[in-house]
Amino acid sequence: MLGIKSRFSLDLEIYSDKFASSAQAVFRQAYQNSKQLGHTQMNDEDVLLAFAQTESSFLDELLKRLNLDRQTLLHRLSSNPIQPSPSTGMKISEGLRKVMHRALETARDGGRAHIESRDLLIGVFLDEGSLSVKVFEELGARRDDVIKTIRQLATEYNVVNW
């Protein structure tokens, strides 16, 4: 699995064998961040924040092309209140389940069997109602433009396995 020793939902078990090393690194970082903050549920913002840590040069270039400030974005994403869960262990939010499903579809559409970190990032932005999308839009970047720019960057980086 991902080297995470906690009770995860069945969804993680289903997807973990489909994660390439780049997606594993993002997910592992998202888990660690959530755990350090005392959260009991991982969500799409955790994945985006973890992407900023594990794929910083890619995110920096994305933000540059979208004319967004990294610090403002990260502050807005990390300052949102998390709804506490009465259960123990780490759960995966419904929104993150959707992100993982969309990431797998994105990978398959690209002819890949494994989810790359860029697929997770695209998966985050395919959900029109996600907090991450709302924050980007509040900062002036439309969801469709973000997805298009991610895809362009991935092509330019010509990366098969990050």
Side-chain angles (χ1 to χ4, degrees):
M1 197 161 117
L2 298 173
I4 300 170
K5 297 175 182 166
S6 180
R7 286 185 345 191
F8 269 93
S9 70
L10 181 58
D11 291 317
L12 183 59
E13 295 294 327
I14 291 169
Y15 286 96
S16 65
D17 65 334
K18 294 175 177 42
F19 284 162
S21 61
S22 63
Q24 287 179 13
V26 169
F27 220 84
R28 192 176 304 115
Q29 186 64 51
Y31 171 81
Q32 292 301 324
N33 293 349
S34 295
K35 187 176 172 183
Q36 287 175 349
L37 293 170
H39 300 165
T40 57
Q41 180 171 279
M42 285 175 49
N43 55 43
D44 63 292
E45 302 95 84
D46 295 318
V47 169
L48 184 54
L49 289 168
F51 190 91
Q53 292 172 288
T54 60
E55 303 287 353
S56 62
S57 63
F58 187 92
L59 185 71
D60 287 345
E61 183 61 28
L62 174 66
L63 295 176
K64 178 181 172 185
R65 291 183 186 198
L66 295 170
N67 296 314
L68 299 179
D69 178 68
R70 179 186 180 89
Q71 294 308 315
T72 302
L73 172 70
L74 296 180
H75 175 71
R76 293 282 296 277
L77 287 171
S78 61
S79 64
N80 288 294
I82 302 296
Q83 298 296 328
S85 172
S87 65
T88 59
M90 188 67 67
K91 304 290 182 194
I92 296 176
S93 71
E94 183 61 32
L96 186 50
R97 286 186 191 113
K98 290 177 184 176
V99 166
M100 292 178 357
H101 178 74
R102 290 179 178 126
L104 181 58
E105 288 176 345
T106 300
R108 288 183 176 161
D109 288 348
R112 291 174 280 108
H114 292 93
I115 298 169
E116 300 286 344
S117 59
R118 66 177 177 248
D119 300 319
L120 285 173
L121 188 60
I122 289 171
V124 166
F125 287 97
L126 287 174
D127 180 4
E128 293 181 39
S130 78
L131 178 61
S132 298
V133 169
K134 289 176 185 174
V135 168
F136 267 72
E137 287 181 344
E138 287 170 3
L139 295 174
R142 291 183 2 187
R143 182 182 73 90
D144 292 339
D145 292 336
V146 175
I147 293 169
K148 180 181 172 185
T149 305
I150 293 167
R151 289 186 168 136
Q152 287 173 340
L153 271 173
T155 300
E156 289 173 22
Y157 277 48
N158 194 23
V159 179
V160 175
N161 288 309
W162 275 341

